[in-house]
Amino acid sequence: MSFFFNICIYTCLTVALNVYGGNIDPFMDSQLFMINWAGPLEIIKDVDENQMVMTTTNNEKYKCILPETMETKEEARKRYHGPTAFELMKTLFTQTTCSYRVESYWTYELCHGKHLRQYHETKDQGQKPKLQEYFLGLVSLESLEKANAEESSDGKNKYESEVKVRKIDGISLPYYEVNMTSGTPCDLTKEPRKARILYVCQPEGHGEIYQLKEMSTCEYEVIILTAVLCAHPDFRPKNPPVSQIQCHALDGSPPKPRQLHTFIQEETLADQIETQGIEFKVETTLPDGVKKTIVIPKKPDPVPTLGTTTDKQLIREFLTGDYCLNGGRGWWKFEFCYGKYARQYHDDKDGRTILYLGYWNEDNHKHWLQANYHKRPKDIGKRKHISLHYGGGDVCDETGTARVTEVKLKCVENPEHPHAVALFLMEPTICEYILVIESPIFCGLLDKANEDGIFQKVEI
């Protein structure tokens, strides 16, 4: 590894120092470079202020060209003529779905642009469910529009001129802040609960709760991942981009330094042995002069394990159907019990109205996989999600057929919150549903499912 770093340090720092006349501090990492070995350079020009010739210890010569100066934040803002941050966020505030975080006791419900709620439902057989809930903050679209219309001291839109940044996992992330107030009165302070919701750009985010903390008594802070903000240059991550230095071979030198080429081959082989478990043969000569081939056997496939911080009892109860996941807002809420059913329900003074979206049946699930082969689980070690078929639900009035639901159990890495669960229910076709359940819990669990995606006799 040392040779590569020597090449990189020599090229990156020497070229940068030459180009910028020594104005770059070599101990700063505000501008990152990556070398691209771009092959021979047919037309050789004189070395100018953006180029230099580098010679390796093996007398291999390369002309290295530093990239153009990076576009500044102000230049990016001038070129941007798209929607404002509020206009982008409004698509999230006006949607009907909510985000959920399920912990061992409390479930947290965030309805964007509406409220943040925590609740726990106790179910005793033969009795009506008992609900314990607290609103941690409320907000309306009208108040958000009013806040967006406020101007800062420079006469510009408040959210466009005062972009705040929070460092998360070592990355500086700009965020869009929503303040929720007037929640359920706090038992200790007697003041209404309130919450700060910080939305950050994440290209694959769709409003899930990344972090939820009680910063002080009955005052909360929630970090939300969303892709909608990524369209605005001011809200993209502030980690520095990596610029490419183009290095071209001169005077018959190889396209890439020989030592670097050898190093990459050795690293690739070592990586294959480590990650792919390939069988490796080595020829050697014994002291008596006899040649022998030594075979390093293929490593056994790793046994999937669950993280030590995961609540294993919770997983056991989930896989037996004793622990159900709840979500939804408004009139209908939904409930998923693994190996049993997916359903919607509504509670009012007259009792509970239930609509079953699908029941579990192993044979029906296998037939569904045969008809939809692309839904089969990937090989062990490559799984990010598994799909399960819940069919034979209540008859749909519009189609006259039984409701069906595809349940996706999806692995989402989040070491800080190993119990976090996000649920999303969609209806892409009338009475045909997709229920997505995302959680770090599934990351150590998916490989324990069989080839049909079914958990059978799983040891937790």
Side-chain angles (χ1 to χ4, degrees):
M1 190 68 76
S2 60
F3 174 77
F4 176 76
F5 284 134
N6 287 337
I7 288 288
C8 181
I9 291 172
Y10 176 79
T11 304
C12 296
L13 296 183
T14 305
V15 174
L17 287 168
N18 274 273
V19 171
Y20 292 104
N23 292 327
I24 292 183
D25 182 349
F27 298 101
M28 296 295 289
D29 60 358
S30 58
Q31 188 166 359
L32 305 179
F33 295 88
M34 180 179 67
I35 299 175
N36 178 33
W37 303 98
L41 189 64
E42 297 180 358
I43 302 177
I44 301 176
K45 299 180 180 179
D46 294 334
V47 176
D48 59 24
E49 62 177 6
N50 289 319
Q51 306 175 20
M52 73 167 292
V53 173
M54 183 191 74
T55 304
T56 69
T57 55
N58 291 330
N59 292 319
E60 301 158 323
K61 291 186 176 181
Y62 299 89
K63 174 179 282 191
C64 295
I65 305 170
L66 196 72
E68 296 293 329
T69 305
M70 293 183 298
E71 181 181 52
T72 65
K73 175 183 174 182
E74 188 60 33
E75 289 171 343
R77 291 188 67 175
K78 288 179 179 178
R79 291 195 306 104
Y80 179 73
H81 300 291
T84 65
F86 176 73
E87 289 170 340
L88 293 170
M89 289 299 301
K90 196 172 180 179
T91 61
L92 194 62
F93 297 152
T94 55
Q95 69 180 21
T96 57
T97 58
C98 299
S99 300
Y100 293 86
R101 175 190 177 90
V102 181
E103 297 190 350
S104 55
Y105 185 84
W106 291 109
T107 296
Y108 295 88
E109 174 188 71
L110 174 63
C111 296
H112 307 283
K114 300 175 182 68
H115 68 253
L116 175 65
R117 179 174 73 114
Q118 73 176 86
Y119 63 92
H120 174 75
E121 190 173 54
T122 303
K123 299 178 182 179
D124 295 324
Q125 190 172 5
Q127 297 183 13
K128 187 177 180 179
K130 298 177 181 178
L131 181 66
Q132 181 183 7
E133 67 173 358
Y134 301 96
F135 282 90
L136 309 186
L138 304 170
V139 73
S140 66
L141 183 59
E142 292 75 18
S143 64
L144 291 172
E145 289 175 335
K146 182 179 179 181
N148 176 69
E150 293 180 7
E151 294 184 348
S152 60
S153 57
D154 58 6
K156 296 181 180 179
N157 176 274
K158 180 180 179 181
Y159 282 102
E160 303 298 318
S161 60
E162 299 178 5
V163 179
K164 300 177 183 178
V165 175
R166 169 66 61 86
K167 202 152 192 175
I168 302 172
D169 293 337
I171 300 176
S172 296
L173 296 174
Y175 61 86
Y176 185 97
E177 182 176 343
V178 171
N179 290 304
M180 292 187 174
T181 58
S182 304
T184 305
C186 179
D187 295 334
L188 296 177
T189 66
K190 309 304 179 184
E191 297 292 328
R193 289 173 166 84
K194 56 184 179 181
R196 295 173 67 232
I197 317 297
L198 311 183
Y199 292 89
V200 300
C201 158
Q202 213 289 333
E204 296 180 356
H206 41 250
E208 61 265 39
I209 299 173
Y210 174 77
Q211 187 179 91
L212 191 150
K213 291 182 178 180
E214 186 171 4
M215 307 303 289
S216 59
T217 304
C218 295
E219 294 187 10
Y220 309 85
E221 183 182 89
V222 187
I223 297 176
I224 305 297
L225 307 179
T226 177
V228 300
L229 273 178
C230 299
H232 199 296
D234 283 356
F235 291 89
R236 293 169 190 157
K238 299 301 180 184
N239 52 315
V242 179
S243 301
Q244 283 197 349
I245 297 176
Q246 305 291 338
C247 287
H248 300 271
L250 300 178
D251 301 337
S253 298
K256 186 180 297 182
R258 292 183 180 87
Q259 285 181 264
L260 179 59
H261 181 72
T262 302
F263 166 78
I264 293 175
Q265 285 185 320
E266 292 174 351
E267 285 291 296
T268 301
L269 181 59
D271 182 65
Q272 288 177 333
I273 296 171
E274 179 65 25
T275 61
Q276 299 179 18
I278 64 172
E279 185 176 86
F280 186 52
K281 297 181 179 181
V282 179
E283 291 189 357
T284 186
T285 302
L286 301 178
D288 57 3
V290 178
K291 291 185 177 181
K292 183 177 181 180
T293 299
I294 300 175
V295 178
I296 300 176
K298 179 178 179 179
K299 291 171 58 178
D301 293 331
V303 177
T305 59
L306 298 173
T308 56
T309 57
T310 302
D311 187 341
K312 296 183 179 182
Q313 181 60 34
L314 186 68
I315 297 176
R316 291 190 190 97
E317 293 177 357
F318 171 75
L319 292 179
T320 57
D322 294 330
Y323 181 82
C324 301
L325 301 176
N326 290 267
R329 63 174 292 273
W331 180 271
W332 287 111
K333 293 179 173 59
F334 56 86
E335 180 182 59
F336 172 69
C337 297
Y338 178 83
K340 293 182 178 179
Y341 56 75
R343 69 183 185 182
Q344 287 182 323
Y345 63 90
H346 169 70
D347 292 321
D348 56 26
K349 62 180 182 179
D350 297 323
R352 170 168 289 193
T353 302
I354 298 176
L355 192 64
Y356 283 89
L357 309 183
Y359 295 92
W360 172 252
N361 182 284
E362 185 173 332
D363 290 336
N364 290 343
H365 169 72
K366 291 179 179 179
H367 288 314
W368 177 75
L369 287 180
Q370 291 175 357
N372 300 271
Y373 193 80
H374 62 286
K375 299 290 186 181
R376 299 195 69 87
K378 292 185 177 182
D379 295 335
I380 291 177
K382 298 180 180 180
R383 296 175 181 175
K384 293 297 181 182
H385 75 273
I386 58 173
S387 291
L388 302 167
H389 176 73
Y390 283 68
D394 290 338
V395 174
C396 176
D397 294 335
E398 290 84 352
T399 64
T401 58
R403 289 172 165 82
V404 296
T405 300
E406 175 188 352
V407 178
K408 282 189 176 182
L409 305 182
K410 186 176 180 181
C411 159
V412 176
E413 299 285 354
N414 190 350
E416 293 185 4
H417 305 287
H419 298 91
V421 179
L423 298 91
F424 310 92
L425 182 67
M426 299 171 284
E427 188 177 359
T429 306
I430 295 176
C431 295
E432 294 184 8
Y433 308 87
I434 298 176
L435 175 59
V436 181
I437 306 174
E438 299 179 343
S439 176
I441 292 174
F442 300 135
C443 297
L445 195 62
L446 297 182
D447 283 347
K448 291 179 177 286
N450 64 16
E451 60 182 7
D452 295 317
I454 303 171
F455 299 102
Q456 293 179 328
K457 298 180 181 180
V458 176
E459 293 184 6
I460 304 299

